[in-house]
């Protein structure tokens, strides 16, 4: 294929990108954003899929089977946490006007320029090889297109042209990034045009790869089952159906999943599209499942293509990394080949564009400006032009570095291993960032030492060894260790030789990183600035303001001048007007700016030059002091004291409420008891008064009528004696009951024979039965029934029940039946009469004090009304119970049951 | 707010299940040289689980509601 044609196609494609990007920017300028929806957001996140995915996945699948998958499973798993973690990061970034991951970490750790610089260095060292990987992919596929269809010439002719294409591509990409990434300095640092172009590229690469996959699977071969069948048939390929083909096995699998989990969020370009370019945090919800779906679809055909490539070119010396392009080419599919080439181009360019823009902002703000602003002269100049120039320079520098890396060593390393080295570098940013947004205690020194140690270990155990193919000294370092210390060999550090190189490096670097971050944070005293930033980050959902760091004042004119120097007059004017409008204040030049306005200005500036530099600049125009450590602590303390105090108040009031409720309950109970006592006293006095009245009246008769005849006198005296006896009995029983109820009764428990006891009771009441002519039938067990009980009290129960039965029997034909039964658990006694019985519903009441069934009969009490109540107490003391058989229609049957073994 | 916390808890449980299901030893159970319905068993397992994960994730996150956005100190 002629060179001009390929160049034309490539340029037309890039031209379309330019058009889309400028359309997006224009729409943004007129306030009608094209990217403000979750679908564009999702597609922009798909910048994750670079040439590595597009070409490298197939290569990895051809070598290791499932080894390509963890790079996409990790992000899928991580996406489940986006709603918790990413949303918080976005919220913080919006409130703090964060423009890059370096800015984020610097800002969290007390706006530390050192932390920001360190992150920038890590990100840069990690990203440059990655950029070179994309350039390599572009130039290689370009070369293949160039030799197409006479591909065999490729082997003979040394392809010098490769390098020149890579260079040309680098220049074009630099132009794009500069045009759409550094158009002007914006306080939000968002690039709508770029995002629109990236989203378009994500669609192109997905369509191109899927088209190739469908063609290769269904037209070159007979569908996926055919390819899988071939795989199953060959012993060589069969290994790839399992973990056997994956070097490092399960451990490597786990490590790659972990690395890609951190990469999807903390690669500089991912942070750029996920956080900085996010328009609305609501979009995260849809993207959290749409993006994994994108990954799922783009991976569906990877394995079939790899198998097809092996089947077609196996052993032919064709690099599996470009199977996806070679297969359509070998089948003379011109159009499809071009489409695949364009898809690869889109995958590579999108990564380069976003990565260079993100990195240039970081390098400019965190490294260059932070250094330049140390020079007093520069603080007084108009720097908005300089900032843009630095960023543009950074973009060119980055692409140049990528190109040089590619020229020097890029050829000797496979696509995937370069990518993994980058992932491992970026993983060093995960601990300070994640700890930083959930743990206020994470300190600046902890973060800096942790990242430094992790980064150095990464460089020693992974980055430097990656040069082994092109450098003899590195190769000998790998084999023998530095100066022959074999204990320090980079791939077997401290003799740890059970892991593959990636896992080995990730293990040591993460151990050092996390370990230092946590232990140093626990020992540190954080500075004022750190405390403020920590609480602003961790409590971002809770706080609206936060304590003010600036106590001093500044003139508005001076603030304006400061802002204008970085973001230009027009933008400054607009920002301040917006501010005034939102607060309903007229900002005139002569006014003093209050602390709110000073903080607002600092944030605007932070959007342009990073938090650390912004702070230095603002401090140069603010007169007065920053709040002191003590001042801040007192503010924080006061707040927490107030919170603490109100907590305690709440608790107190809850306790009081509870106490009140308890008191109310107690009061109610007391009232009940009181009325019970009243009832009792009135009943008792009534009971006592009745015999007393009759005693008194008969005594008065005797006193008033001394001439009463003897018989009459005897009769009256007899009544007095009888009533006195009744009175005594009544008082005895009341005392008895009171004693039992109060638990003071003296119980004489011993083994007694219930049969014997029943006989005694019947003997002592036999007079009553014969007096009234009642037929008594008794049924007793033959054997003694031994029970541990109080003899006299049980006797009282018997006598009470028997005399009751007698009392209620009709005058003629009365019948009483006594049955004692020896049951497995205890002894049961039934006493049945044929009297008028107990009315239904009264079965419980008659056991209460002073309830008397007899009362209704003739108005003349025949008993004290305490007998049954006392009986129940006695039986219950023996753990038994006493009740009335409710099924009786004639007469009453009292039953009591006492269990053995009290 | 309780509903929101419930969604967060579900998401954390989901990722926990995902990590377990996609790592040793569970994946090891499917690491067999075997075609199941014409597809290598291990691939079938991983891709089905992947798809299921996405469906469940979409289902869980459907019920969210953002906490009210806090006013910035600036406009």
């Amino acid at each position: 294929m002629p060179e001009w044609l390929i160049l034309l196609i490539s340029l037309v494609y890039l031209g379309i990108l330019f058009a889309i990007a400028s359309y997006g920017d224009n729409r943004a300028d007129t306030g009608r954003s094209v990217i403000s929806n979750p679908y564009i957001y999702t597609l922009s996140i798909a910048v994750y899929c670079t040439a590595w995915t597009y070409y490298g996945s197939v290569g990895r699948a051809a070598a290791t089977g499932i080894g390509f998958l963890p790079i996409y499973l990790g992000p899928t798993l991580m996406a489940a946490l986006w709603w918790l973690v990413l949303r918080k990061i976005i919220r913080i970034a919006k409130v703090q006007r964060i423009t890059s991951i370096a800015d984020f970490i610097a800002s969290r750790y007390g706006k530390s320029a050192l932390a920001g610089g360190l992150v920038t260095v890590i990100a840069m060292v990690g990203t440059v090889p990655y950029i070179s990987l994309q350039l390599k992919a572009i130039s290689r596929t370009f070369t293949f297109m160039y030799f197409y269809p006479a591909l065999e010439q490729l082997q003979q002719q040394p392809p010098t042209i490769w390098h020149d294409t890579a260079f040309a591509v680098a220049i074009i990409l630099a132009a794009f990034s500069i045009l759409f990434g550094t158009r002007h300095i914006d306080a939000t640092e968002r690039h709508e045009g770029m995002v629109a172009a990236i989203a378009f590229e994500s669609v192109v690469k997905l369509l191109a790869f899927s088209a190739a996959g469908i063609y290769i699977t269904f037209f070159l071969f007979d569908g996926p089952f055919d390819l899988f069948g071939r795989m199953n048939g060959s012993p060589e390929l069969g290994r790839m159906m399992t973990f056997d083909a994956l070097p490092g096995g399960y451990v490597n699998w786990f490590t790659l999943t972990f690395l890609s989990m951190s990469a999807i969020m903390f690669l500089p370009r991912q942070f750029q599209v996920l956080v900085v370019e996010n328009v609305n945090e609501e979009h995260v919800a849809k993207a959290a499942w749409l993006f994994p779906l994108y990954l799922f679809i783009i991976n569906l055909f990877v394995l079939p293509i790899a198998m097809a490539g092996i089947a077609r070119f196996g052993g032919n010396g064709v690099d599996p990394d470009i199977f996806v392009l070679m297969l359509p080419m070998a089948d003379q599919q011109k159009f499809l080949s071009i489409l695949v080439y364009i898809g690869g181009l889109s995958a590579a360019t999108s990564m380069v564009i976003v990565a260079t823009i993100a990195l240039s902002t970081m390098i400019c703000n965190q490294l260059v400006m932070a250094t330049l602003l140390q020079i007093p002269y520069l603080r007084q100049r108009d720097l908005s032009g300089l900032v843009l120039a630095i960023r543009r320079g950074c973009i060119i520098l980055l692409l140049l570095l990528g190109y040089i890396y590619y020229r020097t060593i890029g050829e000797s390393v496979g696509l995937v291993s370069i990518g993994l080295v980058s992932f491992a570098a970026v993983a060093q940013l995960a601990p300070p960032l994640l700890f930083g947004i959930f743990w206020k205690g994470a300190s600046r020194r902890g973060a800096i030492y942790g990242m430094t140690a992790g980064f150095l270990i990464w460089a020693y155990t992974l980055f430097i060894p990656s040069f082994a193919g092109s450098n003899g000294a590195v190769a000998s370092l790998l084999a023998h260790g530095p100066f022959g210390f074999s204990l320090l060999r980079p791939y077997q550090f401290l003799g740890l030789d059970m892991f593959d190189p990636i896992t080995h490096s990730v293990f040591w670097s993460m151990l050092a990183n996390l370990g230092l971050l946590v232990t140093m944070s626990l020992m540190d005293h954080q500075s004022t600035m750190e405390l403020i930033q920590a609480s602003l980050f961790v409590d971002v959902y809770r706080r609206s303001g936060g304590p003010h760091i600036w106590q001093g004042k500044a003139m508005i004119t001076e603030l304006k001048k400061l802002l204008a120097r970085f973001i230009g007059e027009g933008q400054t004017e607009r920002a301040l007007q917006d501010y005034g409008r939102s607060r309903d204040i007229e900002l005139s030049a002569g006014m003093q700016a209050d602390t709110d306005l000073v903080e607002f200005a600092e944030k605007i500036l932070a959007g342009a030059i990073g938090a650390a530099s912004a702070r230095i600049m603002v401090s140069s125009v603010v007169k007065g002091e920053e709040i002191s450590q003590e001042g801040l602590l007192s503010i924080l303390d006061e707040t927490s004291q107030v919170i603490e105090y109100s907590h305690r108040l709440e608790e107190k009031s809850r306790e009081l409420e509870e106490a009140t409720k308890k008191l109310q309950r107690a009061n109610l109970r007391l009232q009940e008891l009181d009325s019970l006592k009243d009832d009792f006293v009135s009943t008792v006095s009534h009971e006592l008064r009745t015999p007393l009245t009759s005693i008194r009246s008969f005594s008065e008769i005797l006193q008033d009528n001394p001439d009463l005849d003897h018989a009459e006198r005897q009769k009256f005296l007899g009544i007095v004696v009888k009533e006195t006896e009744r009175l005594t009995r009544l008082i005895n029983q009341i005392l008895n009951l009171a004693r039992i109820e109060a638990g003071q009764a003296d119980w004489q428990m011993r083994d007694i024979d219930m049969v014997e006891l029943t006989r005694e009771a019947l003997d002592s009441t036999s007079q009553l039965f014969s007096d009234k002519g009642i037929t008594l039938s008794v049924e007793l067990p033959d054997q003694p029934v031994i029970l541990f009980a109080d003899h006299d009290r049980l006797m009282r129960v018997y006598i009470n029940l028997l005399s009751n039965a007698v009392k209620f029997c009709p005058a003629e034909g009365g019948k009483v039946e006594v049955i004692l039964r020896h049951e497995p658990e205890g002894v049961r006694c039934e006493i049945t009469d044929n009297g008028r019985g107990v009315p239904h519903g009264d079965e419980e009441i008659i056991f209460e004090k002073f309830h008397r069934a007899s009362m209704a009969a003739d108005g003349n009490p025949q008993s004290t009304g305490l007998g049954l109540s006392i009986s129940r107490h006695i039986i219950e003391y023996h753990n038994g119970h006493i009740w009335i058989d409710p099924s009786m229609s004639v007469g009453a049957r009292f039953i009591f049951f006492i269990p053995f073994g009290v | 707010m309780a509903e929101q916390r419930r969604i967060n808890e579900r998401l954390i449980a989901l990722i926990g299940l995902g990590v377990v299901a996609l790592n040793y030893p569970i994946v090891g159970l499917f690491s067999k040289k075997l075609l199941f319905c014409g597809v290598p068993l291990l691939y079938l397992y991983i891709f089905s689980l992947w798809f299921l994960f996405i469906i469940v994730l979409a289902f869980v996150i459907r019920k969210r509601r953002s906490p009210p956005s806090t006013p910035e100190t600036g406009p």
Side-chain angles (χ1 to χ4, degrees), chain A residues 285-321:
Chain A
K286 269 228 170 70
W289 63 272
L290 278 176
F291 174 64
L293 195 63
Y294 184 100
L295 294 181
F296 179 83
I297 294 170
I298 208 166
N299 274 294
L300 272 179
F301 285 107
V302 170
L303 187 72
I305 293 174
M307 291 305 124
I310 291 173
R312 188 80 162 67
F313 308 113
N316 240 355
V318 174
D319 184 354
D321 277 351

Side-chain angles (χ1 to χ4, degrees), chain A residues 580-759:
Chain A
R581 214 174 303 128
S582 73
R583 317 233 148 174
D584 274 333
I585 38 177
E586 195 70 37
L587 295 176
S588 60
M591 267 170 72
Q592 275 214 328
D594 59 0
T595 45
D596 275 349
L597 183 55
V598 174
E599 271 175 19
F600 172 70
E602 190 189 337
K603 275 187 186 157
I604 294 268
L605 210 50
I609 59 173
S613 307
R615 191 163 156 261
I616 299 171
M617 291 314 299
V618 170
S619 69
S620 72
V621 299
V622 172
K623 292 173 186 64
E625 307 224 321
E626 261 180 39
I627 191 169
S628 64
Q629 171 98 24
E630 290 73 33
L632 170 81
L633 283 179
S634 73
I635 290 173
L636 289 175
D637 275 1
E638 269 168 36
T639 327
S640 54
Q641 269 169 13
V642 170
I643 293 170
E644 172 78 28
Y645 185 62
S646 88
H647 271 315
R648 268 194 232 144
L649 269 182
E650 268 172 36
E651 211 160 284
K652 269 270 152 56
S653 85
R654 233 191 338 267
E655 276 169 16
L656 275 176
E657 229 167 77
E658 238 160 67
T660 315
K661 267 191 205 140
K662 266 188 208 160
L663 273 178
Q664 275 172 346
R665 274 198 297 271
N667 194 25
L668 221 62
R669 176 89 189 119
L670 274 179
Q671 279 173 355
E672 263 169 40
L673 286 177
D674 192 44
S675 80
L676 273 180
K677 189 203 74 186
D678 282 352
D679 285 353
F680 185 74
V681 168
S682 74
T683 327
V684 167
S685 32
H686 174 79
E687 295 298 322
L688 295 177
R689 210 171 53 205
T690 322
L692 269 179
T693 312
S694 73
I695 291 170
R696 186 173 149 209
S697 49
F698 282 109
S699 308
E700 275 172 3
I701 294 173
L702 287 174
Q703 191 187 32
D704 293 347
N705 305 295
D707 49 349
L708 223 58
D709 68 32
H710 183 71
E712 202 90 344
R713 186 185 294 260
Q714 277 301 321
K715 186 182 161 200
F716 288 168
L717 278 175
I719 294 172
V720 170
V721 170
K722 216 179 100 203
E723 288 300 309
T724 318
E725 277 170 0
R726 197 153 89 88
L727 201 56
T728 316
R729 203 166 59 233
L730 187 65
I731 290 172
N732 276 342
Q733 286 196 335
I734 290 172
L735 286 176
N736 221 321
L737 183 67
R739 250 204 310 260
I740 292 175
E741 280 191 340
Q744 288 168 347
D746 184 17
W747 296 89
Q748 308 216 324
M749 305 295 281
R750 59 194 162 87
D751 282 334
I752 54 168
D753 178 7
M754 278 301 281
V755 182
E756 183 62 36
L757 180 74
T758 315
R759 287 214 181 88

Side-chain angles (χ1 to χ4, degrees), chain A residues 65-66 76-77 83 87 225 228 232 238 240-243 250 253-254 282 285 288-289 296 303 541 583 600 603, chain B residues 15 22-24 28 31-35 37-38 40 42-43 47 50 53-54 57-58 64 66-67 70 73-75:
Chain A
I66 51 164
T76 302
L77 293 171
W83 186 245
R87 210 161 42 105
F225 300 126
F228 291 142
N232 199 30
M240 291 184 192
M241 292 167 63
T242 67
F243 270 89
Y250 298 110
W253 174 272
F254 178 81
E282 247 331 273
W289 63 272
F296 179 83
L303 187 72
Y541 289 127
R583 317 233 148 174
F600 172 70
K603 275 187 186 157
Chain B
I15 188 175
L22 287 173
N23 271 292
Y24 183 82
S31 176
K32 293 199 167 64
K33 188 177 178 293
L34 191 76
L35 286 185
C37 302
L42 187 57
Y43 290 90
F47 274 94
W50 194 349
F53 187 89
I54 293 170
L57 179 55
R64 88 271 168 207
S66 271
T70 45
T73 41

Side-chain angles (χ1 to χ4, degrees), chain A residues 476-495:
Chain A
S476 106
L477 176 75
L478 274 184
H480 309 296
F483 313 110
F485 285 114
S486 65
L487 207 57
L488 298 179
R489 280 175 299 165
Y491 281 163
Q492 289 88 19
F493 195 63
L494 298 183

Side-chain angles (χ1 to χ4, degrees), chain A residues 306-371:
Chain A
M307 291 305 124
I310 291 173
R312 188 80 162 67
F313 308 113
N316 240 355
V318 174
D319 184 354
D321 277 351
I322 45 164
F323 275 170
V324 66
L325 183 61
M326 287 295 277
L327 282 164
M329 275 185 169
D331 205 39
Q332 306 299 326
Q333 292 291 326
K334 206 172 195 175
F335 177 73
L336 186 63
S337 305
I338 291 172
L339 184 63
V340 171
Y341 166 74
I342 295 286
L345 191 64
S346 71
T349 52
S350 60
M351 182 272 161
V352 176
I353 290 166
V354 184
T356 51
I357 290 174
L359 269 178
S360 74
T361 313
M362 274 160 70
I363 296 172
C364 169
N365 289 356
Q366 311 297 328
L367 286 182
V368 184
M369 289 313 284
T371 318

